[in-house]
Amino acid sequence: MENDWKARLGMVYSTNPDFQYQTDQEPEAETLPPARQELRVWLDRKHRAGKVATLVKGFVGRDEDLQALAKELKAKCGVGGSAKEGEILIQGDHRDRVVALLTQKGYKCKKAGS
């Protein structure tokens, strides 16, 4: 990944053998331990044709860890959903169950306004 030629399209190359190419990509944030995460659990029905969804916001960390947590929550609730951009979406109103599961795993979480 460090030597990806597609990231350097349009780059003028240097003849200096010690030159190190720098990309503008920022490194992905390290995942905070569960005790330091402060998650909020929301009930949302915007843009969903009146159907409700449970949103978990405030996750800080790598996308792989977010996906793993979302997969576990979806499996425990027995529903579908998705995870992207630091948010986990669970189909249906599962706020109480999600808060209980996250607290059991050691996360600090609260039910937020609906």
Side-chain angles (χ1 to χ4, degrees):
M1 182 152 163
E2 297 244 349
N3 198 14
D4 186 17
W5 64 272
K6 290 179 184 177
R8 292 190 256 170
L9 287 176
M11 171 68 183
V12 177
Y13 290 93
S14 173
T15 56
N16 181 357
D18 297 327
F19 180 76
Q20 294 292 323
Y21 180 74
Q22 301 288 328
T23 60
D24 292 337
Q25 297 174 354
E26 56 189 61
E28 198 168 11
E30 205 48 47
T31 302
L32 292 176
R36 292 187 54 207
Q37 299 267 8
E38 293 192 19
L39 304 178
R40 298 283 187 250
V41 181
W42 298 77
L43 187 64
D44 186 35
R45 57 172 49 121
K46 294 178 185 171
H47 309 291
R48 302 188 204 301
K51 297 183 180 179
V52 294
T54 303
L55 282 175
V56 180
K57 297 182 179 182
F59 185 85
V60 177
R62 297 185 353 217
D63 192 48
E64 295 85 26
D65 298 328
L66 177 69
Q67 297 291 339
L69 180 60
K71 184 176 182 178
E72 184 176 343
L73 290 176
K74 291 186 301 182
K76 299 267 180 157
C77 292
V79 295
S82 66
K84 57 187 165 192
E85 299 172 6
E87 293 184 351
I88 299 172
L89 182 131
I90 307 286
Q91 295 173 349
D93 184 1
H94 297 281
R95 286 179 295 175
D96 296 328
R97 184 167 187 139
V98 167
V99 167
L101 291 169
L102 289 172
T103 304
Q104 184 180 14
K105 288 185 65 72
Y107 289 93
K108 287 192 242 175
C109 68
K110 290 182 182 178
K111 274 203 272 185
S114 52

